[in-house]
């Protein structure tokens, strides 16, 4: 049996930056709540977006599109973790234990369900939509895998150039957008999946070394830059993807989203003092530790829970009011509470897979195998996020950059990558805690 959250909270070293843990929990919590609230499901099983129904609400994404904060604190944590475990293969395995194990379980369960549903011929309506939508959060896992993979070389650049390394990533993101919008260069926009998110991640390195000294200036630059880009450029107002839009700030990420990330990082750093005092309270810290222990499991399953609630309402013949009407808003708290309860049940069932196994000390070997493994894992996970779990028997595919990928191929690629990282991280031998 593992150590309880209360024991972990009580034994937390005084040197730990608890505010980072708070930010990690809050950022994922806001994303989950946003997905539950923004889903606009109609009586015929169509899943829309509240932001498309009420375009004026798109402005709230400038506060609630908080995923850059998660990647920012990821950079902070990865910098500290790599410095304590510099062997590449061991670093990767240690960082991916709580990420890939629950992800592969999620993929396995939904893959089996999708196959059964399709064999029964029930993959229509909301069920068919669910088979596609539940895989979408996996894009986040794929991007996070890339951040872990690039931590060692980018951390070296940070240690040598500081803000210059961050500036180079911003310049690269700007160049990509210029080639995309001004020169109409095909496929170049996909590079910003790397440049934009790695730039935000790089800010976490700067925080780890105490180099973010003027958060108000960072917030001002970010907010002003994002505002000017949206007002004068080809960028949409919404900082999340919208159905049918020609240009999205999210997929692929744009320079506007990068400036949005600067604004958010500056804002959370301005709140660092009161946030640190708040999380220092024993009861608050215990809740933060407990939430961190299940965060990835809850994130993976929260859309499944939401769609399960809507499916139950449709099956019971309950009325689904038109989105954004007074009746719809009145029903929203009940739907969200039901989704939260169902998510809690799924977390109870699958949380054990988020507990990391003991990691043996690194041997300094296995780096190339680990690099290949994480590359395959992130490509597989990203591919699955695009194709979803539907159409398994028909061999349905989706375009991942320039390659068509099917769900079985994506699952096989991700699983192979994970196993390679696990093997390389053990250094090819079994130690006393490598069981």
């Amino acid at each position: 049996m593992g150590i309880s959250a209360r024991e972990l909270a009580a034994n937390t070293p005084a040197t730990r930056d608890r505010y980072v843990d708070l930010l990690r929990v809050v950022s994922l919590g806001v994303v989950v709540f946003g997905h539950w609230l923004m889903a606009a499901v109609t009586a015929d099983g169509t899943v829309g977006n509240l932001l498309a129904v009420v375009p004026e609400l798109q402005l709230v994404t400038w506060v609630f599109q908080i995923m850059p904060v998660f990647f920012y604190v990821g950079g902070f944590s990865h910098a500290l973790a790599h410095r304590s475990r510099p062997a590449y293969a061991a670093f990767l395995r240690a960082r991916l234990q709580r990420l890939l194990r629950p992800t592969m379980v999620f993929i396995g369960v939904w893959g089996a369900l999708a196959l059964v549903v399709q064999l029964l011929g029930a993959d229509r309506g909301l069920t068919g939509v669910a088979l596609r939508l539940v895989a979408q959060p996996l894009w986040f896992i794929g991007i996070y895998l890339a951040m872990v993979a690039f931590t060692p070389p980018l951390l070296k650049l940070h240690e040598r150039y500081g803000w210059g390394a961050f500036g180079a990533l911003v310049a690269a993101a700007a160049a990509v957008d210029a080639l995309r919008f001004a020169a109409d260069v095909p496929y170049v926009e996909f590079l910003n999946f790397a440049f934009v998110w790695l730039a935000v991640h790089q800010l976490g390195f700067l925080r780890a070394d105490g180099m973010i000294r003027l958060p108000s200036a960072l917030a001002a630059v970010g907010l002003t830059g994002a505002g000017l880009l949206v007002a004068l450029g080809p960028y949409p107002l919404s900082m999340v993807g919208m159905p049918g839009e020609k240009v999205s700030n999210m997929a692929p990420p744009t320079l506007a989203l990068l400036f949005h990330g600067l604004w958010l990082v500056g804002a959370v750093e301005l709140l660092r003092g009161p946030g640190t005092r708040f999380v220092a309270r024993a009861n608050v810290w215990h809740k933060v530790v407990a939430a961190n222990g299940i965060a990835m499991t809850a994130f993976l399953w929260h859309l499944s829970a939401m769609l399960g609630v809507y499916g139950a309402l449709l099956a019971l013949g309950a009325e689904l009011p038109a989105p954004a009407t007074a009746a719809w808003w009145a029903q929203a708290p009940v739907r969200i509470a039901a989704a939260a309860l169902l998510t809690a049940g799924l977390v109870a069932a699958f949380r054990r897979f988020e507990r990391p196994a003991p990691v043996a000390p690194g041997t300094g070997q296995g780096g190339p195998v680990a690099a290949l493994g994480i590359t395959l894992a992130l490509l597989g996970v990203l591919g699955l996020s695009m194709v979803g779990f539907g159409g398994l028997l028909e061999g349905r595919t989706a375009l991942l950059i320039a390659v068509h990928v099917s769900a079985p191929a994506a699952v096989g690629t991700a699983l192979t990558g994970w196993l390679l990282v696990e093997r390389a991280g053990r250094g090819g031998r079994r130690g006393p805690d490598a069981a």
Side-chain angles (χ1 to χ4, degrees):
M1 181 179 294
I3 302 175
S4 69
R6 189 170 298 279
E7 290 173 312
L8 285 173
N11 295 326
T12 302
T15 54
R16 186 176 183 89
D17 192 333
R18 302 183 183 196
Y19 184 53
V20 166
D21 296 281
L22 176 65
L23 290 177
R24 183 182 296 110
V25 168
V26 169
S27 58
L28 279 185
V30 169
V31 170
V32 168
F33 178 80
H35 285 167
W36 286 341
L37 182 62
M38 292 300 108
V41 179
T42 58
D44 63 355
T46 301
V47 180
N49 191 318
L50 180 65
L51 298 176
V53 179
V54 189
E56 295 81 4
L57 288 177
Q58 292 178 24
L59 188 59
V60 305
T61 64
W62 287 50
V63 175
F64 291 104
Q65 167 46 297
I66 202 170
M67 193 59 83
V69 174
F70 188 91
F71 291 144
Y72 168 60
V73 299
F76 174 87
S77 300
H78 295 156
L80 300 185
H82 186 258
R83 285 167 175 169
S84 65
R85 190 184 292 271
Y88 188 64
F91 165 74
L92 288 187
R93 181 173 182 248
R95 298 311 293 170
L96 299 185
Q97 278 277 312
R98 292 180 61 178
L99 189 67
L100 282 181
R101 290 177 73 213
T103 299
M104 297 311 298
V105 170
F106 172 84
I107 290 173
V109 171
W110 263 109
L113 286 173
L115 188 58
V116 171
V117 165
Q118 191 169 5
L119 287 172
L120 294 175
D123 55 337
R124 296 176 181 86
L126 184 61
T127 302
V129 173
L131 293 178
R132 174 175 54 85
L133 287 183
V134 293
Q136 286 189 356
L138 294 176
W139 76 265
F140 155 81
I141 306 293
I143 298 299
Y144 202 76
L145 288 171
M147 292 180 175
V148 176
F150 281 105
T151 287
L154 288 180
L155 186 58
K156 288 182 180 178
L157 290 176
H158 156 74
E159 290 168 347
R160 182 169 182 178
Y161 298 108
W163 279 96
F166 167 76
L169 289 168
V170 175
V176 166
D177 272 14
L179 292 171
R180 174 186 181 183
F181 295 117
D184 201 25
V185 176
Y187 298 117
V188 70
E189 64 268 25
F190 293 104
L191 291 173
N192 267 351
F193 275 112
F195 293 139
V196 168
W197 289 124
L198 288 175
V200 175
H201 188 251
Q202 200 81 4
L203 287 170
F205 298 166
L206 292 162
R207 187 189 194 279
D209 288 339
M211 297 175 68
I212 299 181
R213 301 187 181 94
L214 295 172
S216 57
L218 196 64
V221 168
L223 193 57
T224 302
L228 289 174
L229 287 170
V230 169
L232 304 177
Y235 305 96
L237 174 64
S238 175
M239 290 299 165
V240 302
M242 298 294 298
E245 63 184 355
K246 185 177 180 181
V247 176
S248 167
N249 281 320
M250 275 291 292
T254 64
L255 189 62
L257 183 67
L258 176 50
F259 274 94
H260 171 69
L262 295 183
W263 137 246
L264 287 179
V265 168
V268 298
E269 285 302 311
L270 286 171
L271 296 172
R272 185 173 181 176
T276 299
R277 291 189 293 273
F278 174 70
V279 79
R281 301 175 184 175
N283 61 330
V284 174
W285 177 237
H286 169 237
K287 291 181 175 63
V288 169
V289 171
N292 264 308
I294 60 170
M296 192 51 54
T297 304
F299 177 78
L300 285 166
W301 291 97
H302 78 281
L303 280 186
S304 304
M306 180 199 75
L307 291 167
V309 169
Y310 275 111
L313 290 173
L314 290 173
L316 293 172
E319 181 183 357
L320 287 181
T325 61
W328 186 91
W329 284 108
Q331 193 187 72
V334 178
R335 293 195 307 268
I336 292 173
L341 286 173
L342 186 51
T343 300
L346 290 168
V347 167
F350 296 109
R351 62 180 298 175
R352 65 184 182 276
F353 298 106
E354 193 168 343
R355 296 175 185 146
V359 179
T363 64
Q365 300 175 350
V369 174
L372 174 62
I374 197 169
T375 300
L376 292 175
L378 72 90
L379 289 175
V381 169
L382 285 176
L384 190 57
S385 75
M386 300 184 70
V387 71
F389 293 99
L392 292 178
L393 298 180
E394 291 89 356
R396 181 183 300 167
T397 64
L399 188 65
L400 177 62
I401 304 178
V403 178
H404 286 276
V405 60
S406 67
V411 171
T413 302
L415 180 60
T416 300
W418 176 46
L419 294 176
L420 287 175
V421 170
E422 282 286 306
R423 177 184 176 88
R426 292 190 179 103
R429 61 178 178 83
R430 296 182 64 87
D433 58 346

